[in-house]
C-alpha cells in the first residue's frame, strides 16, 4: 500500500491508521505543491474500497481496485482547481517513449497517461455539474476524450505506435480546451451541494471518497456549505481535503479534520520521483521545474514579458499588450498566466522598503488578483485584462509619486 507515494513519510501514518481502523471521516493533506498529496488521496480511496483480504495491495485485481487504478470508480468524486496540462504532456512523453523503446515499464507508463487525463476529467463528473449552464458543452468534450481513451485503456491491445501518437495528441488537445475553458479557479457552491446530495446516497458496495484539491481557494459561501456536511458526515464517506496553504483554511474546517503533513522533499528526492514516475534520468531540478519544461512557452520568456510590462509602468510608457500576450502563448495553458502575474508580484516587492511602497505594493497585489479573476472567472480576453491592469498600475504609480522603479 502507498507504494506509488515516493519519498513521503505521510504514507506510513496513513497506512497505520487505516490498518488500525482509526482513519476519521474527514482528513486534510497539507504540504507543498508536488509533494504527492493527490497521489496519496487517490491511493487512500482505493485502499478503503478494496474487497480483498489483506486489503489494499497495489497489485490487487479486485473489481474495485482495478476501477480505482484506472480512475473510473463510481465511488470517487474529485473537486477543485488544478493545472493538469503539464502533467498530461509529461505522461504522454513517458508513455510514447516506453512504446518506442519497448521497455518493461510500458504498463506503468500506460497507467500514468490514462490517470493524468482522468485527474482532469474526473472534475467534470455530471453529478457535480448538474444544473450548470455549460454541462452540455462539457459533456461533448468529455465524450470525445473518453472515446479516444477507450482505445488506449486496459485490457484492450494497443493500436500501432503511429495511431497511439495521434490519439494522445487528440486527447491532449481536447483536455487543454476543457481545462482552459471550463475548469473554475474556485469550486462553485452548487458543486458542493451536488456532492452533498451524492454523499448521502448509500453506496451499494465499498466506501465513497470525496477529494477536494486546493481547498484553501474556496470562497466563504463554499466553505460554509462544506462545513455543514463535515459536521455530520455520512458514515460510509471519507472526505480528503488537500492544501498547500494550511494557514488559509477556515479554522472551523481545520477543527473537523485530522491533518497529515507532507514534507517539501529535497531536490535530490524530487529527482528520484522524476526518475521513478517519468523515467527521465537526466533532469536535475525539482518536479515543478521538470513539468515547466513542457510549457509551450519557456518560463524565461514569460518572465521577460512580465519585466517588459513592469518596466513600462515604471517608465510611464505604453507597451504593445497584444505582442506581450502573443509571446506568452495567449496564456494557454492558464499556468502561463500565473507565471506572468507571479513575476509581476516579485518585481513589485522591490518597492516595499517604505510605507508608501508598502501601500502601493498591497494595492498591486489586489490588482493582480483582479486581473487573474477577470481572465479565469469572467472569461475576459487577456489583452483587455492586461490593458486594465496597465492602466490601474500606471495610476498607482502616479498616485504614489513614481514609486515603481525599472529593473534590468
Amino acid at each position: 500500500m502507498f507504494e506509488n507515494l515516493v519519498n513521503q513519510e505521510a504514507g506510513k501514518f496513513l497506512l497505520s491508521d487505516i490498518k488500525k481502523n482509526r482513519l476519521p471521516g474527514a482528513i486534510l493533506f497539507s504540504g507543498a505543491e508536488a509533494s504527492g498529496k493527490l497521489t496519496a488521496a487517490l491511493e487512500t480511496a482505493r485502499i478503503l474500497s478494496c474487497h480483498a483480504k489483506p486489503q489494499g495491495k497495489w497489485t490487487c485485481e479486485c473489481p474495485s481496485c482495478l476501477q480505482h487504478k484506472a480512475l473510473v470508480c463510481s465511488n470517487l468524486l474529485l473537486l477543485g482547481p488544478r493545472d493538469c496540462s503539464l502533467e498530461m504532456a509529461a505522461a504522454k512523453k513517458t508513455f510514447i517513449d516506453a512504446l518506442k523503446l519497448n521497455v518493461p515499464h510500458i504498463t506503468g507508463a500506460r497507467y500514468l497517461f490514462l490517470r493524468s487525463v482522468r485527474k482532469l476529467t474526473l472534475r467534470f463528473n455530471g453529478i457535480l455539474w448538474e444544473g450548470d449552464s455549460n454541462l452540455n458543452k462539457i459533456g461533448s468534450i468529455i465524450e470525445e476524450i473518453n472515446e479516444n481513451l477507450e482505445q488506449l485503456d486496459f485490457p484492450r491491445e494497443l493500436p500501432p505506435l503511429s495511431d497511439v501518437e495521434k490519439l494522445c495528441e487528440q486527447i491532449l488537445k481536447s483536455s487543454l480546451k476543457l481545462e482552459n475553458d471550463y475548469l473554475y479557479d474556485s469550486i462553485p457552491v452548487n458543486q458542493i451541494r451536488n456532492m452533498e446530495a451524492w454523499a448521502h446516497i448509500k453506496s451499494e458496495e465499498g466506501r465513497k471518497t470525496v477529494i477536494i484539491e486546493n481547498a484553501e481557494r474556496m470562497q466563504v459561501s463554499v466553505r460554509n456549505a462544506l462545513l455543514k456536511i463535515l459536521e455530520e458526515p455520512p458514515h460510509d464517506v471519507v472526505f480528503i481535503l488537500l492544501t498547500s496553504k494550511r494557514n488559509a483554511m477556515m479554522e472551523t474546517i481545520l477543527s473537523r479534520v485530522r491533518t497529515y503533513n507532507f514534507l517539501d522533499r529535497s531536490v535530490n528526492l524530487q529527482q528520484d520521483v522524476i526518475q521513478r514516475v517519468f523515467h527521465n534520468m537526466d533532469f536535475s531540478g525539482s518536479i515543478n521545474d521538470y513539468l515547466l519544461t513542457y510549457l509551450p512557452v519557456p518560463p524565461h520568456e514569460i518572465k521577460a514579458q512580465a519585466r517588459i510590462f513592469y518596466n513600462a509602468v515604471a517608465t510611464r510608457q505604453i507597451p504593445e499588450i497584444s505582442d506581450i500576450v502573443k509571446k506568452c502563448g495567449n496564456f494557454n495553458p492558464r499556468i502561463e498566466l500565473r507565471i506572468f502575474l507571479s513575476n509581476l508580484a516579485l518585481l513589485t516587492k522591490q518597492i516595499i522598503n517604505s510605507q508608501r511602497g508598502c501601500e502601493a505594493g498591497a494595492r498591486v497585489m489586489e490588482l493582480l488578483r483582479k486581473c487573474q479573476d477577470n481572465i479565469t472567472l469572467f472569461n475576459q480576453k487577456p489583452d483587455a485584462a492586461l490593458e486594465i491592469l496597465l492602466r490601474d498600475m500606471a495610476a498607482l504609480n502616479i498616485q504614489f509619486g513614481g514609486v515603481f522603479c525599472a529593473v534590468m
Side-chain angles (χ1 to χ4, degrees):
M1 292 189 276
F2 295 104
E3 296 95 332
N4 56 350
L5 182 60
V6 183
N7 298 327
Q8 228 7 301
E9 289 292 314
K12 296 180 181 178
F13 299 113
L14 281 165
L15 181 57
S16 175
D17 286 346
I18 290 171
K19 284 185 173 180
K20 295 176 181 178
N21 199 28
R22 295 191 315 196
L23 194 75
I27 57 180
L28 174 71
F29 293 173
S30 174
E33 292 183 6
S35 57
K37 299 186 297 296
L38 181 57
T39 296
L42 293 170
E43 183 67 348
T44 300
R46 184 189 69 82
I47 294 168
L48 293 176
S49 293
C50 180
H51 299 158
K53 299 294 181 184
Q55 185 183 42
K57 288 186 177 180
W58 177 252
T59 54
C60 178
E61 294 191 359
C62 76
S64 178
C65 281
L66 292 177
Q67 290 171 5
H68 270 284
K69 281 191 278 190
L71 296 187
V72 294
C73 184
S74 59
N75 276 351
L76 173 67
L77 281 188
L78 177 59
L79 300 80
R82 178 184 176 88
D83 295 310
C84 300
S85 58
L86 300 186
E87 183 181 345
M88 287 188 289
K92 174 207 160 191
K93 184 178 187 305
T94 303
F95 179 35
I96 296 299
D97 286 351
L99 288 176
K100 287 180 178 178
L101 299 173
N102 194 28
V103 290
H105 61 260
I106 286 178
T107 297
R110 189 175 176 183
Y111 265 124
L112 181 70
F113 179 68
L114 293 170
R115 285 169 62 91
S116 72
V117 176
R118 287 175 177 147
K119 286 177 187 177
L120 171 66
T121 58
L122 270 173
R123 298 165 207 270
F124 294 92
N125 190 309
I127 292 169
L128 298 173
W129 289 77
E130 185 177 353
D132 192 288
S133 59
N134 291 313
L135 183 57
N136 288 336
K137 295 177 183 178
I138 290 169
S140 62
I141 300 174
I142 291 289
E143 183 178 358
E144 180 183 342
I145 293 173
N146 286 339
E147 286 177 358
N148 288 325
L149 279 179
E150 186 179 350
Q151 299 182 60
L152 303 176
D153 207 351
F154 298 94
R156 183 188 290 247
E157 289 288 329
L158 286 174
L161 176 61
S162 59
D163 291 344
V164 171
E165 290 178 311
K166 290 177 184 177
L167 286 167
C168 289
E169 280 301 320
Q170 292 168 0
I171 289 167
L172 288 190
K173 182 178 179 181
S174 300
S175 297
L176 187 59
K177 178 175 178 57
L178 189 65
E179 178 176 308
N180 285 337
D181 292 355
Y182 300 108
L183 186 59
Y184 297 120
D185 263 19
S186 180
I187 301 170
V189 68
N190 281 345
Q191 289 195 6
I192 296 295
R193 291 169 180 157
N194 290 340
M195 174 273 290
E196 182 177 5
W198 172 84
H200 281 102
I201 299 173
K202 185 172 178 58
S203 172
E204 293 185 1
E205 56 177 61
R207 297 182 71 177
K208 291 181 173 182
T209 305
V210 176
I211 300 172
I212 302 179
E213 195 166 15
N214 290 304
E216 77 281 354
R217 295 193 202 173
M218 293 185 292
Q219 301 297 321
V220 174
S221 60
V222 180
R223 296 177 186 181
N224 290 334
L226 177 63
L227 188 60
K228 292 178 181 178
I229 192 168
L230 291 183
E231 287 175 343
E232 296 183 20
H235 74 279
D236 62 342
V237 181
V238 175
F239 294 87
I240 307 177
L241 280 59
L242 316 181
T243 183
S244 57
K245 298 177 181 177
R246 189 177 186 276
N247 291 339
M249 296 288 294
M250 197 162 72
E251 284 296 329
T252 46
I253 289 181
L254 291 178
S255 68
R256 287 163 174 78
V257 298
R258 177 184 297 168
T259 299
Y260 293 85
N261 292 311
F262 285 69
L263 301 178
D264 189 2
R265 295 174 285 207
S266 68
V267 174
N268 285 339
L269 290 179
Q270 291 188 57
Q271 289 172 12
D272 184 39
V273 175
I274 294 169
Q275 292 171 8
R276 292 196 196 188
V277 176
F278 298 105
H279 296 274
N280 185 306
M281 306 302 169
D282 303 319
F283 191 79
S284 58
S286 68
I287 296 171
N288 279 335
D289 289 340
Y290 175 70
L291 293 178
L292 287 175
T293 64
Y294 289 90
L295 274 176
V297 178
H300 67 80
E301 177 62 30
I302 301 172
K303 294 176 182 178
Q305 295 306 313
R307 190 181 305 114
I308 290 171
F309 185 97
Y310 181 88
N311 285 341
V313 173
T315 57
R316 304 187 185 187
Q317 303 293 315
I318 301 177
E320 190 61 53
I321 294 295
S322 60
D323 188 52
I324 290 175
V325 173
K326 183 178 180 181
K327 287 182 177 178
C328 290
N330 295 310
F331 300 118
N332 187 7
R334 286 187 306 190
I335 190 173
E336 293 181 349
L337 174 64
R338 279 189 261 280
I339 294 172
F340 181 85
L341 296 177
S342 294
N343 276 275
L344 285 181
L346 287 173
L347 292 168
T348 302
K349 280 188 175 181
Q350 65 170 332
I351 71 173
I352 60 174
N353 53 5
S354 65
Q355 181 177 348
R356 184 181 62 174
C358 286
E359 292 177 13
R363 296 277 294 278
V364 170
M365 296 305 111
E366 293 174 6
L367 294 177
L368 296 179
R369 282 191 291 269
K370 182 180 178 181
C371 179
Q372 178 165 324
D373 287 346
N374 284 342
I375 296 173
T376 60
L377 295 181
F378 305 115
N379 295 320
Q380 191 173 48
K381 296 293 184 182
D383 299 62
L386 289 192
E387 291 281 2
I388 294 171
L389 179 62
L390 177 69
R391 180 200 68 196
D392 291 346
M393 287 183 67
L396 272 181
N397 195 33
I398 294 172
Q399 178 184 345
F400 287 90
V403 70
F404 297 103
C405 300
V407 294
M408 297 300 293

